[in-house]
Amino acid sequence: MSPTRRTTRRSLARRRVPRAAALALLLATATACANDVPEADWSRGLLPDHITEEAGVVQSLWNGAWIAALATGAVVIVLILWASFFHRKRRAKAELPPQVRYNLPIEMLYTLIPLVMVSVFFFFTARDSEVLSKVDGDATVKVKVEAYQWSWRFTTTVNGKTLPPVAGVPVNDFHQGPQLVLPTKTKVEFDLSTDDVIHSFWVPEFLFKRDVIPGIPEDNPGRKFQINTLDRTGVFAGRCAELCGVDHSRMLFSVKLVDKPDWDQYLATQQAGSAQ
Ligand SMILES: [Cu+2]
């Protein structure tokens, strides 16, 4: 290596090391800032711990898809290694190995195996989509979600009685955004609407999000979805998952799951507030 090239390399390295360090620092601080990112666990395939029954369906679909993908990957890697170790070109033999193109059984196998795999994925995805998009219409708690640039308005109706709406403004911390209070172990129906641009209603712990599209009539089932909350109390971050304008990232809200006594107390204060 010539001395000039060595110097260039050294100066390149000298420039790259601080840059890499700066990038590492940026990544570390960026993760530290995001206080609304739920804890992901390897045992759940890096998904957050869910708070709805429906999310359990998503979790099993996710697990199954990963198991199938990893098993397929393992078989492919073993076949590649087997071929490269046991079917190497031998120096003594110059002629071509037996050629298998236009071999009908093998070609059929190449076509059928992927078809079967895609069909299996399709079957489970279609089956679970059906469950996730099912709306019974008999939920005691119904939430009208109105998305706008750049926050949310939640209007909750409990047994036919409508509570005062909760509306928000763009914020940097989800705790400051509008809060949707819901009871645990209850069926909740959502109706999503917007008047401006497309938003997307997303609570990571629901393991579900749905686009909120302007101009969809009220009777369209695509506007609605339902959840059955689990017995897990807490405050969970929600956000818009569709780039909708300058303050899209500040379109934060929270969902607070409360148990029966707290829910009754919440209803009492809300109803007293609306009666005034
Ligand atoms: Cu949005």
Side-chain angles (χ1 to χ4, degrees), residues 104-265:
L104 192 63
I106 288 183
E107 303 258 339
M108 296 236 327
L109 201 69
Y110 289 159
T111 316
L112 285 178
I113 289 181
L115 262 179
V116 169
M117 285 160 75
V118 171
S119 309
V120 170
F121 269 117
F122 179 80
F123 168 77
F124 286 107
T125 309
R127 186 196 64 181
D128 292 353
S129 302
E130 177 116 6
V131 173
L132 296 173
S133 51
K134 200 179 90 181
V135 176
D136 300 327
D138 60 355
T140 46
V141 180
K142 294 189 179 183
V143 183
K144 185 171 164 55
V145 177
E146 289 159 284
Y148 50 88
Q149 285 170 315
W150 293 271
S151 196
W152 309 84
R153 184 184 302 111
F154 302 119
T155 313
T156 310
T157 304
V158 186
N159 287 321
K161 273 191 201 146
T162 305
L163 307 182
V166 182
V169 291
V171 286
N172 292 325
D173 183 333
F174 74 92
H175 293 102
Q176 294 157 0
Q179 186 170 66
L180 174 63
V181 181
L182 294 175
T184 53
K185 295 187 280 180
T186 306
K187 189 191 282 184
V188 183
E189 185 184 304
F190 288 87
D191 175 35
L192 311 175
S193 64
T194 178
D195 280 336
D196 45 40
V197 297
I198 302 178
H199 301 273
S200 183
F201 180 83
W202 184 33
V203 178
E205 276 88 350
F206 286 4
L207 304 188
F208 180 89
K209 64 184 178 198
R210 162 97 26 115
D211 276 10
V212 191
I213 301 169
I216 296 190
E218 213 163 308
D219 56 351
N220 189 308
R223 277 172 54 139
K224 296 192 169 71
F225 72 96
Q226 78 182 26
I227 56 166
N228 283 277
T229 53
L230 294 177
D231 190 7
R232 245 196 91 196
T233 55
V235 178
F236 307 93
R239 51 176 69 246
C240 176
E242 180 75 43
L243 184 58
C244 58
V246 68
D247 264 342
H248 155 73
S249 64
R250 300 172 70 222
M251 209 169 148
L252 307 174
F253 64 96
S254 63
V255 171
K256 185 179 184 183
L257 280 194
V258 293
D259 54 16
K260 184 88 176 65
D262 285 351
W263 173 247
D264 289 340
Q265 200 189 338

